[in-house]
Short mmCIF file of all heavy atoms in Angstrom, two decimals:
data_model
loop_
_atom_site.label_atom_id
_atom_site.label_comp_id
_atom_site.label_asym_id
_atom_site.label_seq_id
_atom_site.Cartn_x
_atom_site.Cartn_y
_atom_site.Cartn_z
N MET A 204 19.35 1.45 0.32
CA MET A 204 19.81 1.60 1.69
C MET A 204 21.03 2.50 1.72
O MET A 204 21.61 2.80 0.69
CB MET A 204 20.11 0.24 2.30
CG MET A 204 18.86 -0.57 2.64
SD MET A 204 17.80 0.17 3.89
CE MET A 204 18.71 -0.20 5.35
N PRO A 205 21.46 2.84 2.91
CA PRO A 205 22.52 3.84 3.03
C PRO A 205 23.93 3.29 2.85
O PRO A 205 24.18 2.11 3.00
CB PRO A 205 22.32 4.34 4.47
CG PRO A 205 21.80 3.14 5.19
CD PRO A 205 20.90 2.46 4.19
N THR A 206 24.81 4.23 2.59
CA THR A 206 26.24 3.98 2.65
C THR A 206 26.79 4.94 3.69
O THR A 206 26.57 6.15 3.62
CB THR A 206 26.92 4.26 1.29
OG1 THR A 206 26.36 3.36 0.33
CG2 THR A 206 28.42 4.06 1.38
N TYR A 207 27.49 4.42 4.67
CA TYR A 207 28.08 5.22 5.73
C TYR A 207 29.58 5.34 5.49
O TYR A 207 30.24 4.37 5.16
CB TYR A 207 27.85 4.57 7.10
CG TYR A 207 26.40 4.51 7.49
CD1 TYR A 207 25.65 3.37 7.24
CD2 TYR A 207 25.78 5.60 8.08
CE1 TYR A 207 24.31 3.31 7.59
CE2 TYR A 207 24.44 5.55 8.43
CZ TYR A 207 23.70 4.39 8.18
OH TYR A 207 22.39 4.35 8.51
N HIS A 208 30.10 6.55 5.68
CA HIS A 208 31.52 6.82 5.59
C HIS A 208 32.00 7.16 6.99
O HIS A 208 31.58 8.19 7.56
CB HIS A 208 31.81 7.99 4.64
CG HIS A 208 31.41 7.70 3.23
ND1 HIS A 208 32.31 7.26 2.29
CD2 HIS A 208 30.22 7.77 2.62
CE1 HIS A 208 31.68 7.08 1.16
NE2 HIS A 208 30.41 7.37 1.33
N VAL A 209 32.86 6.32 7.55
CA VAL A 209 33.38 6.53 8.90
C VAL A 209 34.86 6.87 8.79
O VAL A 209 35.64 6.10 8.24
CB VAL A 209 33.20 5.25 9.75
CG1 VAL A 209 33.79 5.45 11.14
CG2 VAL A 209 31.74 4.84 9.83
N GLU A 210 35.22 8.04 9.29
CA GLU A 210 36.61 8.45 9.33
C GLU A 210 37.02 8.54 10.78
O GLU A 210 36.32 9.15 11.59
CB GLU A 210 36.79 9.81 8.64
CG GLU A 210 36.48 9.76 7.16
CD GLU A 210 36.62 11.13 6.50
OE1 GLU A 210 36.47 12.15 7.21
OE2 GLU A 210 36.86 11.16 5.30
N MET A 211 38.14 7.90 11.12
CA MET A 211 38.60 7.92 12.49
C MET A 211 40.12 7.77 12.52
O MET A 211 40.72 7.30 11.55
CB MET A 211 37.93 6.82 13.31
CG MET A 211 38.13 5.42 12.81
SD MET A 211 37.10 4.32 13.78
CE MET A 211 37.29 2.82 12.83
N LEU A 212 40.70 8.20 13.64
CA LEU A 212 42.13 8.04 13.80
C LEU A 212 42.49 6.56 13.77
O LEU A 212 41.76 5.72 14.33
CB LEU A 212 42.61 8.67 15.11
CG LEU A 212 42.54 10.19 15.17
CD1 LEU A 212 42.90 10.67 16.56
CD2 LEU A 212 43.44 10.83 14.14
N GLU A 213 43.58 6.24 13.10
CA GLU A 213 44.02 4.85 13.03
C GLU A 213 44.31 4.32 14.43
O GLU A 213 44.53 5.07 15.36
CB GLU A 213 45.24 4.73 12.12
CG GLU A 213 46.47 5.45 12.64
CD GLU A 213 47.62 5.40 11.66
OE1 GLU A 213 47.49 4.86 10.57
OE2 GLU A 213 48.68 5.93 12.02
N GLY A 214 44.31 3.00 14.53
CA GLY A 214 44.65 2.38 15.81
C GLY A 214 43.59 1.42 16.34
O GLY A 214 43.86 0.70 17.28
N ARG A 215 42.42 1.41 15.72
CA ARG A 215 41.39 0.47 16.16
C ARG A 215 41.72 -0.92 15.62
O ARG A 215 42.26 -1.07 14.53
CB ARG A 215 40.00 0.88 15.66
CG ARG A 215 39.24 1.88 16.51
CD ARG A 215 40.04 3.07 16.86
NE ARG A 215 39.26 4.10 17.55
CZ ARG A 215 39.32 5.37 17.22
NH1 ARG A 215 40.09 5.78 16.24
NH2 ARG A 215 38.64 6.25 17.91
N THR A 216 41.37 -1.92 16.39
CA THR A 216 41.63 -3.30 15.99
C THR A 216 40.59 -3.76 14.97
O THR A 216 39.49 -3.18 14.90
CB THR A 216 41.59 -4.24 17.19
OG1 THR A 216 40.24 -4.28 17.71
CG2 THR A 216 42.56 -3.81 18.28
N PRO A 217 40.89 -4.81 14.23
CA PRO A 217 39.88 -5.37 13.33
C PRO A 217 38.61 -5.78 14.08
O PRO A 217 37.50 -5.62 13.57
CB PRO A 217 40.58 -6.59 12.70
CG PRO A 217 42.02 -6.20 12.70
CD PRO A 217 42.21 -5.45 14.01
N GLU A 218 38.75 -6.30 15.30
CA GLU A 218 37.58 -6.69 16.09
C GLU A 218 36.71 -5.47 16.44
O GLU A 218 35.49 -5.54 16.39
CB GLU A 218 38.01 -7.42 17.37
CG GLU A 218 36.85 -7.91 18.20
CD GLU A 218 35.96 -8.93 17.50
OE1 GLU A 218 36.44 -9.67 16.63
OE2 GLU A 218 34.77 -9.00 17.84
N GLN A 219 37.32 -4.36 16.80
CA GLN A 219 36.57 -3.14 17.10
C GLN A 219 35.83 -2.66 15.85
O GLN A 219 34.66 -2.27 15.93
CB GLN A 219 37.51 -2.04 17.59
CG GLN A 219 38.03 -2.28 18.99
CD GLN A 219 39.07 -1.26 19.38
OE1 GLN A 219 40.01 -0.96 18.62
NE2 GLN A 219 38.94 -0.70 20.57
N LYS A 220 36.49 -2.69 14.71
CA LYS A 220 35.84 -2.28 13.47
C LYS A 220 34.69 -3.21 13.12
O LYS A 220 33.63 -2.76 12.67
CB LYS A 220 36.87 -2.24 12.33
CG LYS A 220 37.89 -1.14 12.48
CD LYS A 220 38.92 -1.22 11.36
CE LYS A 220 40.04 -0.23 11.57
NZ LYS A 220 41.02 -0.28 10.48
N LYS A 221 34.89 -4.50 13.33
CA LYS A 221 33.83 -5.48 13.06
C LYS A 221 32.59 -5.18 13.91
O LYS A 221 31.46 -5.16 13.42
CB LYS A 221 34.34 -6.88 13.33
CG LYS A 221 33.33 -7.96 13.07
CD LYS A 221 33.93 -9.35 13.31
CE LYS A 221 33.00 -10.36 12.81
NZ LYS A 221 32.41 -11.32 13.50
N LYS A 222 32.80 -4.93 15.21
CA LYS A 222 31.69 -4.61 16.10
C LYS A 222 31.00 -3.31 15.68
O LYS A 222 29.78 -3.20 15.73
CB LYS A 222 32.18 -4.50 17.54
CG LYS A 222 32.53 -5.84 18.16
CD LYS A 222 33.01 -5.67 19.57
CE LYS A 222 33.40 -7.01 20.18
NZ LYS A 222 33.86 -6.84 21.57
N LEU A 223 31.78 -2.33 15.25
CA LEU A 223 31.21 -1.06 14.81
C LEU A 223 30.33 -1.24 13.59
O LEU A 223 29.18 -0.77 13.58
CB LEU A 223 32.33 -0.05 14.50
CG LEU A 223 31.88 1.31 13.95
CD1 LEU A 223 31.03 2.05 14.97
CD2 LEU A 223 33.08 2.13 13.52
N VAL A 224 30.82 -1.94 12.58
CA VAL A 224 30.00 -2.09 11.36
C VAL A 224 28.79 -2.98 11.61
O VAL A 224 27.73 -2.76 11.02
CB VAL A 224 30.83 -2.60 10.15
CG1 VAL A 224 31.93 -1.61 9.82
CG2 VAL A 224 31.41 -3.98 10.37
N GLU A 225 28.91 -3.95 12.51
CA GLU A 225 27.74 -4.76 12.87
C GLU A 225 26.67 -3.88 13.53
O GLU A 225 25.49 -4.01 13.24
CB GLU A 225 28.14 -5.90 13.79
CG GLU A 225 28.91 -7.00 13.07
CD GLU A 225 29.49 -8.05 14.02
OE1 GLU A 225 29.52 -7.81 15.26
OE2 GLU A 225 29.94 -9.09 13.52
N ALA A 226 27.10 -3.01 14.44
CA ALA A 226 26.16 -2.12 15.15
C ALA A 226 25.51 -1.12 14.20
O ALA A 226 24.30 -0.91 14.25
CB ALA A 226 26.86 -1.40 16.29
N ILE A 227 26.30 -0.52 13.34
CA ILE A 227 25.75 0.44 12.37
C ILE A 227 24.73 -0.25 11.47
O ILE A 227 23.66 0.28 11.21
CB ILE A 227 26.89 1.08 11.53
CG1 ILE A 227 27.72 2.01 12.39
CG2 ILE A 227 26.30 1.81 10.32
CD1 ILE A 227 28.98 2.51 11.73
N THR A 228 25.06 -1.45 11.03
CA THR A 228 24.17 -2.20 10.16
C THR A 228 22.87 -2.56 10.90
O THR A 228 21.77 -2.36 10.37
CB THR A 228 24.86 -3.47 9.64
OG1 THR A 228 26.01 -3.08 8.90
CG2 THR A 228 23.94 -4.27 8.75
N ARG A 229 22.99 -3.07 12.12
CA ARG A 229 21.82 -3.46 12.90
C ARG A 229 20.88 -2.29 13.13
O ARG A 229 19.67 -2.38 12.89
CB ARG A 229 22.26 -4.06 14.23
CG ARG A 229 21.09 -4.58 15.07
CD ARG A 229 21.50 -5.03 16.46
NE ARG A 229 21.83 -3.88 17.29
CZ ARG A 229 23.05 -3.50 17.66
NH1 ARG A 229 24.09 -4.20 17.28
NH2 ARG A 229 23.22 -2.45 18.41
N VAL A 230 21.41 -1.15 13.53
CA VAL A 230 20.58 0.02 13.81
C VAL A 230 19.94 0.55 12.53
O VAL A 230 18.78 0.96 12.52
CB VAL A 230 21.41 1.11 14.53
CG1 VAL A 230 20.64 2.42 14.61
CG2 VAL A 230 21.81 0.63 15.92
N SER A 231 20.68 0.53 11.44
CA SER A 231 20.12 0.98 10.16
C SER A 231 18.92 0.14 9.76
O SER A 231 17.88 0.68 9.35
CB SER A 231 21.18 0.92 9.05
OG SER A 231 22.21 1.83 9.31
N VAL A 232 19.05 -1.17 9.88
CA VAL A 232 17.94 -2.06 9.53
C VAL A 232 16.77 -1.86 10.48
O VAL A 232 15.60 -1.81 10.05
CB VAL A 232 18.42 -3.53 9.51
CG1 VAL A 232 17.25 -4.49 9.39
CG2 VAL A 232 19.41 -3.74 8.37
N GLU A 233 17.04 -1.70 11.78
CA GLU A 233 15.97 -1.48 12.77
C GLU A 233 15.19 -0.21 12.48
O GLU A 233 13.96 -0.18 12.57
CB GLU A 233 16.55 -1.41 14.18
CG GLU A 233 17.03 -2.72 14.72
CD GLU A 233 17.74 -2.59 16.06
OE1 GLU A 233 17.78 -1.47 16.64
OE2 GLU A 233 18.29 -3.60 16.54
N ILE A 234 15.87 0.85 12.11
CA ILE A 234 15.23 2.15 11.94
C ILE A 234 14.70 2.34 10.52
O ILE A 234 13.59 2.83 10.32
CB ILE A 234 16.21 3.29 12.31
CG1 ILE A 234 16.51 3.23 13.80
CG2 ILE A 234 15.63 4.66 11.93
CD1 ILE A 234 17.59 4.17 14.27
N LEU A 235 15.49 1.95 9.53
CA LEU A 235 15.14 2.23 8.13
C LEU A 235 14.46 1.06 7.42
O LEU A 235 13.90 1.23 6.36
CB LEU A 235 16.40 2.62 7.35
CG LEU A 235 17.19 3.81 7.88
CD1 LEU A 235 18.46 3.99 7.08
CD2 LEU A 235 16.33 5.07 7.86
N GLY A 236 14.57 -0.14 8.00
CA GLY A 236 14.06 -1.32 7.33
C GLY A 236 15.09 -1.84 6.34
O GLY A 236 16.24 -1.39 6.30
N GLY A 237 14.68 -2.78 5.51
CA GLY A 237 15.57 -3.32 4.51
C GLY A 237 16.36 -4.49 5.04
O GLY A 237 16.10 -5.00 6.14
N GLN A 238 17.33 -4.92 4.27
CA GLN A 238 18.15 -6.08 4.59
C GLN A 238 19.58 -5.66 4.97
O GLN A 238 20.10 -4.69 4.41
CB GLN A 238 18.20 -7.03 3.39
CG GLN A 238 16.86 -7.58 2.98
CD GLN A 238 16.23 -8.39 4.12
OE1 GLN A 238 16.89 -9.22 4.74
NE2 GLN A 238 14.96 -8.13 4.41
N PRO A 239 20.21 -6.39 5.88
CA PRO A 239 21.58 -6.06 6.26
C PRO A 239 22.54 -6.01 5.08
O PRO A 239 23.45 -5.17 5.08
CB PRO A 239 21.97 -7.19 7.23
CG PRO A 239 20.67 -7.68 7.78
CD PRO A 239 19.67 -7.53 6.65
N ASP A 240 22.34 -6.86 4.09
CA ASP A 240 23.29 -6.87 2.97
C ASP A 240 23.16 -5.68 2.04
O ASP A 240 23.90 -5.55 1.07
CB ASP A 240 23.20 -8.18 2.19
CG ASP A 240 21.85 -8.44 1.56
OD1 ASP A 240 20.92 -7.63 1.76
OD2 ASP A 240 21.71 -9.45 0.86
N SER A 241 22.23 -4.78 2.36
CA SER A 241 22.11 -3.57 1.56
C SER A 241 22.73 -2.34 2.25
O SER A 241 22.67 -1.23 1.73
CB SER A 241 20.64 -3.29 1.23
OG SER A 241 19.91 -2.99 2.42
N VAL A 242 23.34 -2.54 3.42
CA VAL A 242 23.98 -1.47 4.16
C VAL A 242 25.48 -1.53 3.92
O VAL A 242 26.11 -2.56 4.16
CB VAL A 242 23.70 -1.58 5.69
CG1 VAL A 242 24.41 -0.48 6.45
CG2 VAL A 242 22.20 -1.53 5.96
N ASP A 243 26.06 -0.44 3.43
CA ASP A 243 27.49 -0.37 3.19
C ASP A 243 28.13 0.56 4.23
O ASP A 243 27.58 1.62 4.54
CB ASP A 243 27.80 0.20 1.80
CG ASP A 243 27.37 -0.76 0.70
OD1 ASP A 243 27.65 -1.96 0.82
OD2 ASP A 243 26.75 -0.29 -0.27
N VAL A 244 29.28 0.14 4.76
CA VAL A 244 30.05 0.96 5.70
C VAL A 244 31.47 1.01 5.19
O VAL A 244 32.12 -0.02 5.00
CB VAL A 244 30.01 0.38 7.13
CG1 VAL A 244 30.79 1.28 8.08
CG2 VAL A 244 28.57 0.20 7.62
N LEU A 245 31.96 2.21 4.94
CA LEU A 245 33.34 2.41 4.48
C LEU A 245 34.12 3.06 5.61
O LEU A 245 33.72 4.11 6.12
CB LEU A 245 33.37 3.32 3.26
CG LEU A 245 32.47 2.89 2.09
CD1 LEU A 245 32.48 3.96 1.01
CD2 LEU A 245 32.89 1.57 1.55
N ILE A 246 35.22 2.44 6.01
CA ILE A 246 36.04 2.96 7.10
C ILE A 246 37.35 3.48 6.52
O ILE A 246 38.03 2.80 5.76
CB ILE A 246 36.35 1.87 8.14
CG1 ILE A 246 35.04 1.39 8.79
CG2 ILE A 246 37.32 2.40 9.19
CD1 ILE A 246 35.23 0.22 9.75
N THR A 247 37.67 4.71 6.88
CA THR A 247 38.94 5.32 6.49
C THR A 247 39.74 5.60 7.76
O THR A 247 39.27 6.34 8.63
CB THR A 247 38.72 6.62 5.71
OG1 THR A 247 37.92 6.34 4.56
CG2 THR A 247 40.04 7.24 5.27
N ASP A 248 40.90 4.98 7.87
CA ASP A 248 41.80 5.26 9.00
C ASP A 248 42.66 6.46 8.63
O ASP A 248 43.30 6.49 7.57
CB ASP A 248 42.70 4.06 9.26
CG ASP A 248 41.97 2.90 9.89
OD1 ASP A 248 41.07 3.14 10.71
OD2 ASP A 248 42.30 1.75 9.58
N ILE A 249 42.69 7.42 9.53
CA ILE A 249 43.46 8.65 9.31
C ILE A 249 44.66 8.67 10.25
O ILE A 249 44.50 8.44 11.45
CB ILE A 249 42.59 9.91 9.56
CG1 ILE A 249 41.27 9.86 8.79
CG2 ILE A 249 43.37 11.18 9.26
CD1 ILE A 249 41.39 9.92 7.30
N GLN A 250 45.84 8.95 9.72
CA GLN A 250 47.01 9.09 10.57
C GLN A 250 46.86 10.36 11.41
O GLN A 250 46.36 11.38 10.94
CB GLN A 250 48.27 9.17 9.72
CG GLN A 250 48.57 7.91 8.95
CD GLN A 250 49.81 8.07 8.07
OE1 GLN A 250 50.38 9.13 7.93
NE2 GLN A 250 50.23 6.95 7.48
N PRO A 251 47.32 10.31 12.68
CA PRO A 251 47.18 11.47 13.55
C PRO A 251 47.80 12.76 12.99
O PRO A 251 47.31 13.85 13.28
CB PRO A 251 47.89 11.03 14.84
CG PRO A 251 47.77 9.55 14.82
CD PRO A 251 47.86 9.15 13.38
N GLY A 252 48.83 12.64 12.16
CA GLY A 252 49.44 13.82 11.56
C GLY A 252 48.59 14.44 10.46
O GLY A 252 48.91 15.52 9.97
N ASN A 253 47.54 13.76 10.07
CA ASN A 253 46.64 14.27 9.03
C ASN A 253 45.28 14.68 9.56
O ASN A 253 44.34 14.87 8.80
CB ASN A 253 46.45 13.19 7.94
CG ASN A 253 47.73 12.92 7.19
OD1 ASN A 253 48.56 13.80 7.02
ND2 ASN A 253 47.88 11.71 6.72
N TRP A 254 45.15 14.80 10.89
CA TRP A 254 43.88 15.19 11.50
C TRP A 254 44.18 16.23 12.56
O TRP A 254 45.09 16.07 13.38
CB TRP A 254 43.24 13.97 12.17
CG TRP A 254 41.82 14.14 12.60
CD1 TRP A 254 41.31 15.14 13.38
CD2 TRP A 254 40.74 13.28 12.32
NE1 TRP A 254 39.97 14.94 13.59
CE2 TRP A 254 39.59 13.80 12.95
CE3 TRP A 254 40.61 12.11 11.58
CZ2 TRP A 254 38.35 13.19 12.88
CZ3 TRP A 254 39.38 11.50 11.52
CH2 TRP A 254 38.26 12.04 12.15
N ALA A 255 43.41 17.30 12.57
CA ALA A 255 43.60 18.35 13.56
C ALA A 255 42.25 18.74 14.15
O ALA A 255 41.22 18.71 13.48
CB ALA A 255 44.27 19.58 12.94
N THR A 256 42.28 19.09 15.42
CA THR A 256 41.11 19.62 16.10
C THR A 256 41.55 20.85 16.88
O THR A 256 42.58 20.81 17.57
CB THR A 256 40.52 18.56 17.08
OG1 THR A 256 40.17 17.39 16.35
CG2 THR A 256 39.28 19.10 17.78
N GLY A 257 40.82 21.92 16.76
CA GLY A 257 41.18 23.14 17.46
C GLY A 257 42.51 23.70 17.06
O GLY A 257 43.20 24.32 17.86
N GLY A 258 42.89 23.49 15.81
CA GLY A 258 44.14 24.03 15.31
C GLY A 258 45.37 23.26 15.72
O GLY A 258 46.50 23.73 15.55
N LYS A 259 45.17 22.04 16.25
CA LYS A 259 46.30 21.26 16.73
C LYS A 259 46.21 19.85 16.16
O LYS A 259 45.18 19.18 16.26
CB LYS A 259 46.28 21.19 18.26
CG LYS A 259 47.52 20.63 18.86
CD LYS A 259 47.48 20.85 20.38
CE LYS A 259 48.84 20.49 20.96
NZ LYS A 259 48.89 20.78 22.38
N LEU A 260 47.32 19.41 15.53
CA LEU A 260 47.37 18.06 15.00
C LEU A 260 47.31 17.04 16.13
O LEU A 260 47.85 17.26 17.21
CB LEU A 260 48.66 17.83 14.19
CG LEU A 260 48.81 18.64 12.91
CD1 LEU A 260 50.22 18.52 12.36
CD2 LEU A 260 47.80 18.18 11.88
N TRP A 261 46.66 15.92 15.86
CA TRP A 261 46.56 14.86 16.86
C TRP A 261 47.89 14.16 17.07
O TRP A 261 48.06 13.45 18.07
CB TRP A 261 45.47 13.87 16.49
CG TRP A 261 44.13 14.41 16.87
CD1 TRP A 261 43.27 15.08 16.07
CD2 TRP A 261 43.53 14.39 18.16
NE1 TRP A 261 42.16 15.47 16.78
CE2 TRP A 261 42.31 15.06 18.07
CE3 TRP A 261 43.92 13.88 19.38
CZ2 TRP A 261 41.45 15.21 19.17
CZ3 TRP A 261 43.07 14.03 20.47
CH2 TRP A 261 41.87 14.69 20.35
N SER A 262 48.85 14.39 16.22
CA SER A 262 50.20 13.82 16.41
C SER A 262 51.01 14.66 17.40
O SER A 262 52.07 14.21 17.84
CB SER A 262 50.92 13.75 15.06
OG SER A 262 51.02 15.03 14.47
N GLU A 263 50.53 15.83 17.77
CA GLU A 263 51.20 16.69 18.73
C GLU A 263 50.77 16.32 20.15
O GLU A 263 49.64 15.86 20.34
CB GLU A 263 50.86 18.16 18.47
CG GLU A 263 51.30 18.66 17.11
CD GLU A 263 50.85 20.08 16.87
OE1 GLU A 263 49.63 20.32 16.84
OE2 GLU A 263 51.72 20.94 16.69
N PRO A 264 51.64 16.54 21.12
CA PRO A 264 51.27 16.26 22.52
C PRO A 264 50.03 17.05 22.93
O PRO A 264 49.84 18.18 22.50
CB PRO A 264 52.49 16.70 23.33
CG PRO A 264 53.63 16.72 22.36
CD PRO A 264 53.01 17.05 21.01
N ARG A 265 49.21 16.44 23.75
CA ARG A 265 47.98 17.08 24.23
C ARG A 265 48.02 17.16 25.76
O ARG A 265 48.53 16.29 26.42
CB ARG A 265 46.76 16.29 23.80
CG ARG A 265 46.65 16.25 22.28
CD ARG A 265 45.21 16.02 21.88
NE ARG A 265 45.12 16.33 20.46
CZ ARG A 265 44.55 17.41 19.98
NH1 ARG A 265 43.98 18.27 20.75
NH2 ARG A 265 44.52 17.64 18.67
N ASN A 266 47.42 18.21 26.27
CA ASN A 266 47.34 18.40 27.73
C ASN A 266 45.98 18.01 28.23
O ASN A 266 45.00 18.16 27.67
CB ASN A 266 47.64 19.84 28.11
CG ASN A 266 49.05 20.25 27.71
OD1 ASN A 266 49.83 19.42 27.28
ND2 ASN A 266 49.36 21.49 27.87
#
């Protein structure tokens, strides 16, 4: 079964992360088959100063 790598800006609560991994696991099993305990989800929290979009760090003010 798959291993998912989720990278996102830090700030999500443990409850939000729990719901996310439950949903990813459920959909994986529905579509791919297999057992939930064979689905791995790795979450990496990224500080806004280490992520940029459009040439602008997320730690910088946005309009």
Side-chain angles (χ1 to χ4, degrees):
M204 286 297 283
T206 299
Y207 295 95
H208 296 263
V209 177
E210 295 177 335
M211 58 187 171
L212 291 174
E213 64 185 3
R215 275 50 173 226
T216 66
E218 183 61 29
Q219 288 173 313
K220 292 176 186 181
K221 181 178 190 240
K222 288 180 181 180
L223 177 63
V224 299
E225 288 171 347
I227 290 170
T228 300
R229 184 186 72 253
V230 170
S231 294
V232 170
E233 288 173 6
I234 294 173
L235 303 175
Q238 298 299 313
D240 61 357
S241 66
V242 178
D243 293 315
V244 181
L245 307 174
I246 297 175
T247 302
D248 288 324
I249 309 293
Q250 295 178 353
N253 293 329
W254 191 309
T256 301
K259 191 170 189 175
L260 294 170
W261 280 96
S262 59
E263 299 176 297
R265 298 204 165 254
N266 298 353

